[in-house]
Amino acid sequence: DTDSLFLANPSEEKMKALMEWSKKELGIELDVDKVYRYAVFSERKKNYFGVFPDGSVDVKGLVGRKSNTPKFLQVAFQQVLRILSQVKSAEEFEEAKRKIFEIIRDYYVRLKRKQLSLEELAFTVVLGKDIHAYKVEPQHVKAAKMLESHLGRPLGVGDTIRYVKVRTKDGVKPVELVKSLDEIDDEKYVEHMRTMFSQILEPLGIDFDEILGTVSLRSFFEAA
């Protein structure tokens, strides 16, 4: 169930021999698609990332680059990619793992302590159609209807909706209507952090829950 294979430091001779063997024995023509400075794989199927010679990082999915992702997650993700892009040895790789652990832990702590602004927490979506045309309401449409009611004017195609996750039945609220950071549902954001960073943490051999556990343990000792 794949259309590719990965080779570690193959010589030109071995590459050529493999291509010839595949074409002759399997009837499959192989070609070089990507060359990484290094690549890291997890036990999960098709979950890996590779760093190109120029330092750019190739991660499957790249949730952190989606335009509607909250700003604090985009920034954290870019910081992680920057660290990975600078790794050139096994020693640097171990140091990079430590730095990445610290970055994610820091954002988790800031989230739990309500030290992130609404601007940093907001999901941003541009309406692709009239909000009353949806049969099933996605979260940004729920927020748009609240904002429409508040503004007293219709919202539609092209309008930008910024909303945050809150502890209410609807689960969301437009940024303009949030009165306090105490309304924020931080656990929903923690799950977004888990989903996004697991793409990188799993190949690194880091458990997201380990980061949360370290924070909790530190808090325990600080309180003692």
Side-chain angles (χ1 to χ4, degrees), residues 37-38 50-58 65 81-88:
R37 182 196 304 161
Y38 72 94
V51 177
F52 293 111
D54 66 359
S56 57
V57 185
D58 187 19
R65 287 185 177 172
L81 294 186
R82 194 175 303 116
I83 289 172
L84 291 172
S85 73
Q86 297 170 351
V87 173
K88 295 181 180 178

Side-chain angles (χ1 to χ4, degrees), residues 51-165:
V51 177
F52 293 111
D54 66 359
S56 57
V57 185
D58 187 19
V59 184
K60 209 162 182 64
L62 286 175
V63 176
R65 287 185 177 172
K66 292 184 178 180
S67 61
N68 66 336
T69 302
K71 187 177 296 184
F72 88 94
L73 289 178
Q74 291 189 43
V75 172
F77 199 75
Q78 289 304 315
Q79 289 177 346
V80 169
L81 294 186
R82 194 175 303 116
I83 289 172
L84 291 172
S85 73
Q86 297 170 351
V87 173
K88 295 181 180 178
S89 68
E91 293 74 18
E92 291 180 359
F93 181 70
E94 290 304 314
E95 177 63 14
K97 288 173 63 175
R98 185 192 65 77
K99 290 180 179 179
I100 290 169
F101 191 102
E102 292 291 337
I103 286 173
I104 298 175
R105 180 171 62 185
D106 177 64
Y107 276 100
Y108 172 75
V109 170
R110 290 170 62 188
L111 172 65
K112 299 297 285 187
R113 292 179 178 175
K114 305 187 186 308
Q115 295 174 341
L116 296 172
S117 69
L118 291 176
E119 291 297 322
E120 292 175 297
L121 294 166
F123 291 83
T124 304
V125 180
V126 177
L127 293 174
K129 59 182 179 180
D130 185 85
I131 61 176
H132 300 287
Y134 290 87
K135 293 182 179 179
V136 178
E137 294 183 346
Q139 291 189 319
H140 70 279
V141 172
K142 288 183 180 180
K145 287 185 175 180
M146 294 177 196
L147 185 59
E148 182 180 77
S149 177
H150 173 73
L151 296 175
R153 64 175 177 82
L155 296 175
V157 179
D159 283 316
T160 298
I161 306 301
R162 296 178 307 128
Y163 67 92
V164 292
K165 307 273 186 166

Side-chain angles (χ1 to χ4, degrees), residues 21 31 35 41 61 70 77 93 117 120 124 145 178 199 203 211:
W21 174 86
D31 195 10
V35 177
F41 300 83
F77 199 75
F93 181 70
S117 69
E120 292 175 297
T124 304
K145 287 185 175 180
V178 178
Q199 294 175 292
I211 297 177

